[in-house]
């Protein structure tokens, strides 16, 4: 009877290797890459959306600030500390009323109807500021270099893509930041409506100073539209439209 072959002691202690094969490793790496690509796509989309929201908020805020500055200044067009002199007989206030309102000029001058423009100039008195008496007015538009505040205006600079503000005679300054905002459109519509001026119960206080004819009051409104886009992302574009009622109406005498 043949005896079974004896195993070497070292061979009896050998254990089969346990782990992952090269195929399993490659499959795992592939799945990890897909997961990483999806996470990267979500993160990139979120960052892009956040950047776009910030640009939209900045464009909207700059537009709102620009519109507020235009509205607040335009409302003061034609302001004069002695506006009552326009509708009261000059013979009764000869010393107090030197003449007609020197601040009624607005370019373009729209007597009635409507006109669309991209530049406007006007006058308003600043002599009564600082808490002084409202009647303390020098009755003249500032033309000196050190007093240019009473000649103002706004215009669209299409070449630079900005809105400009005039401080003084011909002194234009940029109102919007060209590094952030590109103005695509800035149009203004001036509306004027002639309304009859009523007389008082005793006598007529709306007597004209020149020929004694009746006076009509020109009520003026300015409607402006601004279209702008972000400089760093032209796809971010916003528009704003606002209507401004001028507080200072212009009396006009109807001479026969």
């Amino acid at each position: 009877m043949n005896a079974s072959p004896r195993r070497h002691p070292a061979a009896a202690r050998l254990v089969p290797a346990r782990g992952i094969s090269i195929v399993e490793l490659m499959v795992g790496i592939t799945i990890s890459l897909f997961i990483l690509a999806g996470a990267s796509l979500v993160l990139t989309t979120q960052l892009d959306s956040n950047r776009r929201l910030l640009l939209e908020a900045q464009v909207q805020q700059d537009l709102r600030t620009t519109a507020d500055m235009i509205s607040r200044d335009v409302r003061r067009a034609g302001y004069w500390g002695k506006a009552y002199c326009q509708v009261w007989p000059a013979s009764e206030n000869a010393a107090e009323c030197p003449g007609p309102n020197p601040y009624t000029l607005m370019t373009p001058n729209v007597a009635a109807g409507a006109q669309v423009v991209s530049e406007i100039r006007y006058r308003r008195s600043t002599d009564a500021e600082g808490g002084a008496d409202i009647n303390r007015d020098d009755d003249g538009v500032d033309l000196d270099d050190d007093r240019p505040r009473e000649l103002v205006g706004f215009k669209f600079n299409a070449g630079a893509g900005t809105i400009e503000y005039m401080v003084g005679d011909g002194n234009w300054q940029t109102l919007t930041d060209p590094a952030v905002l590109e103005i695509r459109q800035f149009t203004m519509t001036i509306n004027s409506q002639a309304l009859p001026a009523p007389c008082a119960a005793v006598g007529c206080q709306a007597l004209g100073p020149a020929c004694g004819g009746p006076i009509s009051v020109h009520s003026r409104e300015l409607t402006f539209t601004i279209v702008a886009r972000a400089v760093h992302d032209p796809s971010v574009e916003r528009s704003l439209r606002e209507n401004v009622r001028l507080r200072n109406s212009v009396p006009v005498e109807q001479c026969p």
Side-chain angles (χ1 to χ4, degrees), residues 16-158:
R18 298 181 181 276
I20 59 175
S21 65
I22 187 66
V23 175
E24 294 172 330
L25 180 62
M26 294 180 64
V27 170
I29 292 176
T30 303
I31 294 175
S32 300
L33 289 176
F34 274 110
I35 296 175
L36 183 61
S40 300
L41 180 62
V42 172
L43 179 61
T44 303
T45 303
Q46 185 68 24
L47 291 176
D48 185 68
S49 299
N50 185 61
R51 180 189 63 84
R52 185 178 178 87
L53 286 175
L54 290 176
L55 281 176
E56 290 177 354
Q58 185 178 27
V59 169
Q60 194 68 29
Q61 181 179 0
D62 287 2
L63 277 179
R64 185 73 265 167
T65 301
T66 303
D68 287 344
M69 294 181 66
I70 296 174
S71 299
R72 295 177 114 188
D73 202 291
V74 167
R75 283 194 186 100
R76 301 175 58 200
Y79 170 75
W80 186 33
K82 301 177 182 178
Y84 55 85
C85 291
Q86 301 177 98
V87 293
W88 202 267
S91 59
E92 299 181 9
N93 305 276
E96 191 176 358
C97 296
N101 186 350
Y103 301 98
T104 58
L105 178 64
M106 176 178 281
T107 305
N109 184 17
V110 181
Q115 183 175 353
V116 179
V117 296
S118 60
E119 179 179 335
I120 184 174
R121 303 187 186 194
Y122 54 91
R123 301 171 178 174
R124 78 280 194 279
S125 175
T126 59
D127 297 327
E129 292 182 342
D133 185 1
I134 61 171
N135 294 335
R136 196 177 74 180
D137 197 304
D138 62 5
D139 306 319
V141 183
D142 294 346
L143 297 175
D144 299 332
D145 293 336
D146 59 338
R147 299 180 60 194
R149 301 174 301 170
E150 296 184 342
L151 295 170
V152 292
F154 296 94
K155 75 174 181 178
F156 175 40
N157 188 336

Side-chain angles (χ1 to χ4, degrees), residues 134-205:
I134 61 171
N135 294 335
R136 196 177 74 180
D137 197 304
D138 62 5
D139 306 319
V141 183
D142 294 346
L143 297 175
D144 299 332
D145 293 336
D146 59 338
R147 299 180 60 194
R149 301 174 301 170
E150 296 184 342
L151 295 170
V152 292
F154 296 94
K155 75 174 181 178
F156 175 40
N157 188 336
T162 58
I163 296 176
E164 296 185 355
Y165 175 50
M166 186 179 74
V167 184
D169 191 10
N171 183 22
W172 292 97
Q173 299 181 5
T174 303
L175 185 63
T176 56
D177 188 356
V180 176
L181 205 64
E182 180 186 359
I183 305 299
R184 306 283 294 169
Q185 176 187 345
F186 177 52
T187 56
M188 295 167 285
T189 303
I190 306 173
N191 299 282
S192 179
Q193 183 179 8
L195 304 173
C199 290
V202 180
C204 185
Q205 65 188 43

